[in-house]
């Protein structure tokens, strides 16, 4: 637990998910956590970004879509 399993770069962030399904956005410039995105998406199998949407493929065959921006930003 706690080790990054999958990563993808989007704009100026590295989006990373660990084996427990916790997702975080880290600044490419500083390496610091910019914000958690979601805490429990289940066991991930793949990550992809299109625009402001992060897609997380899960091992159970489902696909989740999560907003990378907050409303008003």
């Amino acid at each position: 637990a706690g080790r990054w399993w999958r990563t993808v770069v989007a704009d100026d962030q590295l989006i990373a998910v660990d084996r427990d399904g916790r997702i975080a956005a880290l600044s490419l410039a500083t390496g610091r956590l910019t914000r958690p995105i979601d805490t429990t998406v289940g066991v991930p199998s793949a990550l992809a970004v299109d625009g402001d949407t992060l897609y997380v493929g899960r091992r159970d065959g489902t696909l989740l879509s999560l907003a990378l921006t907050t409303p008003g930003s």
Side-chain angles (χ1 to χ4, degrees):
R3 294 190 179 140
W4 297 118
W5 180 246
R6 302 278 187 229
T7 59
V8 66
V9 174
D11 295 324
D12 60 348
Q13 300 178 90
L14 174 73
I15 310 299
V17 62
D18 71 11
R19 292 176 190 242
D20 294 328
R22 292 180 295 232
I23 300 175
L26 299 114
S27 166
L28 287 176
T30 66
R32 292 186 176 162
L33 180 69
T34 56
R35 65 189 167 99
I37 295 175
D38 191 270
T39 55
T40 51
V41 296
V43 179
S45 64
L47 294 178
V49 172
D50 183 31
D52 291 332
T53 303
L54 172 68
Y55 295 95
V56 181
R58 296 185 344 177
R59 292 193 185 215
D60 67 2
T62 58
L63 180 66
L64 301 175
S65 63
L66 303 167
L68 290 175
T69 57
T70 55
S73 64

